[in-house]
Amino acid sequence: MLDRTLNSPGSGQTMLRPDAAPVAWAVSDRPVPYEAAVLAMEARAQAIHDGQAGELVWLLEHPPLYTAGVTAKPGDLLDAGRFPVFASGRGGQYTYHGPGQRVAYVMLDLRTRGRDVRRFVQALEAWIIGALDQFNVEGQVRPDRVGVWVERKAPGVPPREDKIAAIGVKLRRWVSFHGISLNVEPDLSHFAGIVPCGVTRHGVTSLVDLGLPVTMDEADEALRISFQAVFGPVLRASPPA
C-alpha cells in the first residue's frame, strides 16, 4: 500500500536546519488525554526555547473530544454534550480528535529554521501532501481554507472536496507547538457535533473512507518519510512522560 517514491517538495516548502540536527520522533501507543498532552507540549516548547531540550514531533491519538481554537465561533459547536470540549490556544476554529486519527504535535525551533510563519505553514502542508502522495492520494490546499483537501469524483455525481487533514499551530517565542491531524480511520460521524474549522460547504474524509485500507503504522511511516524531506532527519525517541 505504501509507495516509498516521494516527490521532493520545492525549496520554498522546506524548513531544513543548516546543521541538519535530527528531530526527536516519538509515538505513543495508547490514547493520550488532551490536557496532559498540552501540558507536555508547553513544557517541551519552553525547554526548547531555553536550550534545555531538542526539537520533537510527537505522534498520538486522543480519546474522542472537540477543541476550540482561538477563532472558534460558539455557533459552530452543534452538540456540546457529545464529547468533552477543550479551549485550545492554537490557531483555527473547532476540530475533532479521536481514535483512528493521527495527531502529530510539532515542537520545532523556528529561530533555526528561518523565522517565517507563512513558510512554516506551507511546510506543514507539504509534509501532509507528501505523506498522502505515498498512497497515491492527491492532497491539495486552498487559499480560502486551512488544511489539506482531496477532490472526490464519481460517475454521475457532482465532484466535491473533503478535508482529510487539519492544521492548527501556535508559536511562542518562535517555538511551535500543537500541529496537524490526519484522518486515517476515525469515526467520521463524530465530526457531526461541530462545524469543522468553520467550513459548511465541504465534508471530511479519511484514507479508509477513500477505499485505502491504511493502518496507523503505515500512516506513521509515510509521515516520517515525508517529514524528513521537508524538515530534515529524525531520531526515534520516547514520548514525553
Side-chain angles (χ1 to χ4, degrees), residues 20-87:
V23 177
W25 184 268
V27 182
S28 289
D29 57 6
R30 297 180 182 179
V32 178
Y34 183 76
E35 291 174 305
V38 171
L39 288 173
M41 275 193 293
E42 291 183 342
R44 183 62 174 243
Q46 181 65 50
I48 292 170
H49 177 270
D50 294 343
Q52 298 174 353
E55 296 178 311
L56 171 68
V57 174
W58 183 16
L59 277 63
L60 53 82
E61 293 173 88
H62 284 306
L65 57 92
Y66 298 128
T67 66
V70 294
T71 58
K73 301 174 182 177
D76 286 346
L77 180 60
L78 306 178
D79 188 353
R82 187 168 190 175
F83 298 125
V85 181
F86 296 92

Side-chain angles (χ1 to χ4, degrees), residues 200-220:
T200 59
R201 302 185 309 277
H202 305 279
V204 291
T205 189
S206 69
L207 288 168
V208 171
D209 183 54
L210 293 173
L212 301 169
V214 177
T215 67
M216 193 64 75
D217 286 345
E218 289 173 327
D220 289 350

Side-chain angles (χ1 to χ4, degrees), residues 95-97 101-104 124-132 137-142 145-150 161-168 179-184 186 188 191 196-197 199 203-207 210 223:
T95 193
Y96 165 77
H97 295 314
Q101 182 191 72
R102 178 51 88 206
V103 175
L124 293 173
E125 293 169 343
W127 172 26
I128 298 167
I129 290 170
L132 293 173
V137 173
E138 183 183 358
Q140 302 176 356
V141 296
R142 296 290 181 263
R145 286 179 257 140
V146 179
V148 176
W149 303 77
V150 294
E161 292 180 350
D162 287 342
K163 191 171 192 174
I164 196 168
I167 298 173
I180 70 165
S181 59
L182 173 64
N183 294 333
V184 181
L188 296 180
F191 286 88
C197 300
V199 177
V204 291
T205 189
S206 69
L207 288 168
L210 293 173
L223 286 167

